[in-house]
């Protein structure tokens, strides 16, 4: 009887483990079917940090950034090269308050708050992020150009309602400005986790980031490189190009 009881308990435990494994497997399959908002295939990523001892101010950071981006983009082995201050699924969500022209918050907890990222003109192409409306950033969106921004679909639904966001205006921090024109809407990208719903997000041209924000919060530049090369070969080439610029 004792042996029979042990066998019954073992079978019960096994059934529980199998059932648990089945639930995990179904969860993983469901997560794999979640729309990520970007295409990870054929992409290599790396991050370069610019220490203040060598890059004390925004102009020094801009100069190094431009040299490195141009050097990598000039390589025929790389289809596209983009940069961001935070990769998708990195868990990094540096959020800021915003003012949205034409939006009035019904209460304090409904005031516009969104993740803020600085990106390069080719970032959406390099990361495979679809443009849902308007346009992507271009090289003309530089320090001399008009202040512009991209917003994601969740930002549009929450703060623009039924209004067309293209041509709308937003301001980082509050209505004091400077006001930026929304030139494009990007697909929702999951940054915290696949199981976490996307949050409102604003993409600004990296070169248009405020100098104080740049030196305090954006010293790490995260690169995404699209290439058909074998990964170790591509990684070796990237390292050599970074050393060359550095």
């Amino acid at each position: 009887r004792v042996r029979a009881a042990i066998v019954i308990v073992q079978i019960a435990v096994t059934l529980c483990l199998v059932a648990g494994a089945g639930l995990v497997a179904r969860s993983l399959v469901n997560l794999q079917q979640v729309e990520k908002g970007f295409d990870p295939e054929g992409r290599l990523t790396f991050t370069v940090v610019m220490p203040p001892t060598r890059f004390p101010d925004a102009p020094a950071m801009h100069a190094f950034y431009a040299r490195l981006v141009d050097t990598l983009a000039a390589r025929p082995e790389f289809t596209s090269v983009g940069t961001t201050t935070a990769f998708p699924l990195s868990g990094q969500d540096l959020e800021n308050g915003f003012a949205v022209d034409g939006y009035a918050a019904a209460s304090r907890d409904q005031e516009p708050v969104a993740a803020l990222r600085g990106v390069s003109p080719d970032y959406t192409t390099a990361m495979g992020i679809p443009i849902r409306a308007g346009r992507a950033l271009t090289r003309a969106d530089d320090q001399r150009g008009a202040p512009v921004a991209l917003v994601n679909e969740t930002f549009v639904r929450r703060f623009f309602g039924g209004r067309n966001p293209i041509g709308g205006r937003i301001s980082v921090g509050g209505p004091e400005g400077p006001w930026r024109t929304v030139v494009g809407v990007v697909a929702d990208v999951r940054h915290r986790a696949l199981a976490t719903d996307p949050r409102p997000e604003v993409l600004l041209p990296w070169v248009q980031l405020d100098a104080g924000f740049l030196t305090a919060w954006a010293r790490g530049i995260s690169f995404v490189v699209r290439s058909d090369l074998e990964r170790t070969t591509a990684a070796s080439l990237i390292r050599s190009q970074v050393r060359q610029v550095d």
Side-chain angles (χ1 to χ4, degrees), residues 20-34 194:
L23 290 172
V24 171
R26 284 197 295 275
S27 297
L28 289 174
V29 169
N30 291 337
L31 286 177
Q32 289 172 352
Q33 295 172 346
V34 168
L194 285 177

Side-chain angles (χ1 to χ4, degrees), residues 44-79:
L44 289 88
T45 60
F46 65 97
T47 298
V48 174
V49 178
M50 294 179 283
T53 52
R54 292 189 53 199
F55 306 94
D57 52 26
M61 295 174 66
H62 283 147
F64 175 76
Y65 171 85
R67 289 199 308 273
L68 184 52
V69 170
D70 289 346
T71 297
L72 291 172
R75 298 294 309 193
E77 298 90 345
F78 302 145
T79 308

Side-chain angles (χ1 to χ4, degrees), residues 60-246:
M61 295 174 66
H62 283 147
F64 175 76
Y65 171 85
R67 289 199 308 273
L68 184 52
V69 170
D70 289 346
T71 297
L72 291 172
R75 298 294 309 193
E77 298 90 345
F78 302 145
T79 308
S80 55
V81 177
T83 68
T84 177
T85 49
F87 284 131
L89 297 178
S90 64
Q92 299 179 28
D93 251 342
L94 183 60
E95 293 190 327
N96 259 276
F98 287 82
V100 179
D101 194 18
Y103 173 82
S107 60
R108 188 175 182 82
D109 63 354
Q110 292 182 352
E111 292 179 355
V113 174
L116 174 63
R117 311 190 197 287
V119 302
S120 68
D122 292 327
Y123 172 66
T124 50
T125 299
M127 188 59 81
I129 300 174
I131 302 293
R132 301 301 194 200
R135 66 170 177 86
L137 298 178
T138 71
R139 284 181 173 266
D141 300 317
D142 58 14
Q143 295 161 286
R144 295 166 296 184
V148 296
L150 304 178
V151 296
N152 71 344
E153 296 168 292
T154 296
F155 190 100
V156 172
R157 284 193 298 271
R158 193 166 298 181
F159 305 123
F160 278 93
R163 296 180 294 134
N164 182 4
I166 305 303
R169 300 193 309 156
I170 65 173
S171 176
V172 181
E176 296 78 16
W179 287 93
R180 294 177 172 275
T181 301
V182 176
V183 296
V185 177
V186 299
D188 282 338
V189 173
R190 294 176 189 268
H191 277 273
R192 295 188 176 184
L194 285 177
T196 303
D197 290 336
R199 295 179 59 79
E201 183 178 0
V202 175
L203 307 182
L204 304 183
W206 189 88
V207 294
Q208 288 188 359
L209 290 177
D210 174 78
F213 178 89
L214 193 68
T215 54
W217 300 101
R219 288 191 168 275
I221 309 175
S222 296
F223 282 77
V224 53
V225 176
R226 186 177 179 183
S227 176
D228 293 328
L229 289 176
E230 192 272 329
R231 286 184 177 274
T232 56
T233 302
S236 178
L237 179 57
I238 289 171
R239 281 192 292 269
S240 70
Q241 298 302 295
V242 173
R243 283 195 296 267
Q244 176 182 318
V245 173
D246 195 30

